[in-house]
Amino acid sequence: MKGSQFRQVVIVVVPLLVLLALGLFFLYSVNGQHSQAIISERSKSNVCVAKQMLRMELASVVSDLQFLAGVHEAEAVMTGELLKSEYQSLVLFTDKKKVYDQIRYLDITGMEVFRINYNAGNPSVVSANKLQFKGSKYYVAEGMKLLNGDIYISPFDLNMERGAIELPHKPMIRFVTPVFDNSNTRRGLVVLNFLGKRLLDVISEVSSSDVDRVMLLNEQGYWLKGLDEADEWGFMFKDRLDRTFQSRNPEAWQQISSNENGQFMSDAGLYTFDTIHLADVIVGSKGQKLEHEADSWKIVSLVPDDVFNANQRQYASRLAMVGGPGAFFLIALSMLMAHFCQKSRRAELSIIKNNASFARFVPQEFLRLVGKGSLHDVELSTSVQREVAVLFSDIRSYTTLSEGMTSEEVFSFLNDYFVFVSKPVRANEGFIDIFIGDALMALFPRSPEDALRSAVSMRYDLREFNDSRRKTGMPPVHCGYGLHFGEVTLGTLGTQERMQTTAIGDTVNLASRIESVTKTFKVEIVVSDSVYARLPDPSEFLLREIDTVRVKGKHEPVTLYECFDADPEDIAKGKVATMPLLAEAIGHYKAGEFDLALDKFTACAEACPTDSIPPIYLKRCNTMKRIPPGEGWTGVSTL
């Protein structure tokens, strides 16, 4: 070949080869970035889900602990007056929860006065001659330092029996809070031995994919749940003390330990991590925890480098097999495929973000109740009937509170408020169905007890919210809560262009009306008899009957009860003391015996001047004496 001809070939072929190489490289790069972005988003989602599930589990334990320390049985245990029938209620509680290896009450010396052993699903009360002294245990010593309402959470470790690690291994966390009597005298402690396997199962569930593996680490970097069982619980074994994440991956641990959350690449692969602080799940307590390991845990996801780059390498090997023939076709094809890959990547990332956004507007719990896998399956005709507990909450004097606020300040105030009150809903297996201005409606599919516990927790959380408002000179917020249980219709309302998922029906309407009654009676939480009748043990709550009403257009009356668990201690004590007298007074009122009712309501008002119920009935009785109701009187009001 002559020099001139060679130069002409070079002039034509070399640019084509360069274009081919650039096209293939571009396609290779786009395809790899597309795959990696999806993996990255999936890892973030897994870590986020794990964190939320762990927090829900821990919050539930804290709620149970506060409940067990405050019930009537707690003081009865300490005084040796617990009845056998009350034993059974605590055994049923243990059996229902299935997460407590032991429930114990200890006196101020650390001696067990009552213990229930779970016995792998066969809970039973331990006989008095088998109760043990636990005063030398570290968690008892820490518990005795606590003030009323404080909670101590022990480190997450393996249970030990007689100085040795129990086999098979039993991961355990001990939750401790003091028990005080009505005179605010310390009587002892209640201790829950929480079976930590429940938390490790959560990590296993979110770590089930073949892409990333999720780990749980304590603050010292020891694996509580790792990739290799032989590395777990290193701080419990002398021959494993050096098995820490830090010793294996010092650079990665530096980033993870010094930041709350994040995502980064290392030689090992893609790390995604977040932090869960145990103090965050303690509502309304100081949470004294002197054990450093108990402060927080790290949730860490690892996508190995070979997995993270697998698609990219496989694609590169395929491209290497393409030869020179068909160069123009491959160049064009590569550019076309690159274009579609970019579009596909944008579309898939958009789907991931949209799904996350949709979940904020339509709860996954709602989709499960209507039997739909995703929002795309919901149609205008979608509807089902379900029995649920409905909770309505509304801010009192909202107009007065919002006066003088700008629109931005109003939205900021409401959003801050809803963040506080929504936490107990999630912690008690419920979900918020709809926000209506300053009100909300939450649904509880599992049981009415969940709804009532949520309402009580909301009131406690509202105190914390108001404390933060007072510090900035803002007035406190007061709310009412109405609860009813019954059948609702869950479905979609609207048009094909604009629809909304919600619950409708008489149950919803009555729950809303019950909430409005809280303003009339000047109380916080009112529940219907349908909720009261379905509580496993109503005595677990401070409940008293306050009225019987009939809704307009309905025949059957509804009895209403006030729940005052979250009232200030002095007011709650006064209401408890007058409960029998108030019940007698209401009985006389319903029987039309207004003179007798007046005497007893007057006595209630004198015994507890802060109680808002007696003055309402005093006014009613005087009215009925002036204008007798006539025959057929049953004491039922119209709602």
Side-chain angles (χ1 to χ4, degrees), residues 96-113:
K96 178 183 176 183
K97 289 295 182 176
K98 302 184 187 306
V99 294
Y100 301 122
D101 189 54
Q102 291 182 341
I103 295 179
R104 292 176 287 169
Y105 287 93
L106 283 63
D107 64 20
I108 57 175
T109 70
M111 182 65 192
E112 292 180 338
V113 294

Side-chain angles (χ1 to χ4, degrees), residues 72-109:
H72 159 74
E73 287 85 350
E75 188 170 348
V77 166
M78 296 304 179
T79 57
E81 299 174 355
L82 190 67
L83 302 175
K84 288 187 177 180
S85 60
E86 294 171 324
Y87 279 21
Q88 189 60 27
S89 67
L90 292 174
V91 171
L92 289 174
F93 175 87
T94 309
D95 186 47
K96 178 183 176 183
K97 289 295 182 176
K98 302 184 187 306
V99 294
Y100 301 122
D101 189 54
Q102 291 182 341
I103 295 179
R104 292 176 287 169
Y105 287 93
L106 283 63
D107 64 20
I108 57 175
T109 70

Side-chain angles (χ1 to χ4, degrees), residues 234-245:
F235 58 94
M236 299 287 296
F237 300 91
K238 291 182 179 180
D239 60 343
R240 299 187 192 179
L241 292 176
D242 61 340
R243 298 187 188 183
T244 65
F245 189 94

Side-chain angles (χ1 to χ4, degrees), residues 587-634:
H588 289 307
Y589 172 79
K590 290 181 178 180
E593 300 165 348
F594 300 118
D595 287 326
L596 291 173
L598 274 170
D599 291 341
K600 293 186 183 296
F601 282 126
T602 300
C604 288
E606 291 174 351
C608 185
T610 54
D611 189 352
S612 60
I613 301 300
I616 293 173
Y617 275 98
L618 288 172
K619 185 176 181 180
R620 286 187 183 182
C621 288
N622 285 318
T623 300
M624 294 303 169
K625 288 186 66 177
R626 290 196 311 271
I627 310 172
E631 295 183 3
W633 167 256
T634 59

Side-chain angles (χ1 to χ4, degrees), residues 394-627:
D394 192 19
I395 296 178
R396 305 270 179 80
S397 304
Y398 170 70
T399 302
T400 303
L401 281 172
S402 60
E403 282 179 351
M405 291 186 186
T406 65
S407 59
E408 291 83 1
E409 289 171 337
V410 169
F411 273 91
S412 177
F413 157 64
L414 287 176
N415 287 330
D416 289 344
Y417 162 75
F418 285 135
V419 166
F420 263 87
V421 298
S422 63
K423 293 177 182 178
V425 175
R426 295 192 302 271
N428 288 280
E429 305 297 331
F431 65 94
I432 294 176
D433 177 67
I434 190 171
F435 296 99
I436 314 168
D438 61 310
L440 66 82
M441 180 175 76
L443 305 181
F444 296 82
R446 192 172 68 171
S447 75
E449 184 181 9
D450 292 332
L452 186 51
R453 290 196 186 282
S454 178
V456 172
S457 295
M458 281 176 161
R459 283 204 61 196
Y460 283 121
D461 282 1
L462 193 61
R463 292 183 187 176
E464 182 181 344
F465 180 71
N466 284 331
D467 287 342
S468 64
R469 286 178 59 81
R470 289 190 186 94
K471 291 176 182 177
T472 57
M474 292 184 289
V477 176
H478 300 286
C479 299
Y481 307 90
L483 285 73
H484 185 50
F485 177 83
E487 187 175 80
V488 301
T489 300
L490 298 156
T492 52
L493 295 173
T495 67
Q496 292 292 350
E497 292 76 25
R498 176 72 171 87
M499 64 180 69
Q500 175 181 332
T501 59
T502 191
I504 60 174
D506 289 342
T507 299
V508 172
N509 297 335
L510 184 52
S512 177
R513 293 195 183 191
I514 290 173
E515 185 281 320
S516 67
V517 168
T518 63
K519 302 173 186 176
T520 303
F521 284 103
K522 299 179 182 179
V523 296
E524 305 292 336
I525 303 173
V526 176
V527 306
S528 69
D529 48 14
S530 66
V531 171
Y532 184 92
R534 288 169 176 81
L535 295 174
D537 183 2
S539 66
E540 293 180 359
F541 299 90
L542 296 178
L543 291 161
R544 61 176 185 168
E545 180 183 339
I546 57 172
D547 202 2
T548 300
V549 300
R550 181 181 288 109
V551 180
K552 290 181 180 179
K554 301 296 179 181
H555 177 69
E556 293 296 326
V558 178
T559 301
L560 302 180
Y561 298 83
E562 180 200 4
C563 176
F564 55 96
D565 287 66
D567 279 14
E569 188 174 355
D570 57 334
I571 297 177
K573 285 182 178 179
K575 290 181 178 180
V576 169
T578 58
M579 277 178 66
L581 190 60
L582 182 67
E584 292 179 18
I586 292 176
H588 289 307
Y589 172 79
K590 290 181 178 180
E593 300 165 348
F594 300 118
D595 287 326
L596 291 173
L598 274 170
D599 291 341
K600 293 186 183 296
F601 282 126
T602 300
C604 288
E606 291 174 351
C608 185
T610 54
D611 189 352
S612 60
I613 301 300
I616 293 173
Y617 275 98
L618 288 172
K619 185 176 181 180
R620 286 187 183 182
C621 288
N622 285 318
T623 300
M624 294 303 169
K625 288 186 66 177
R626 290 196 311 271
I627 310 172

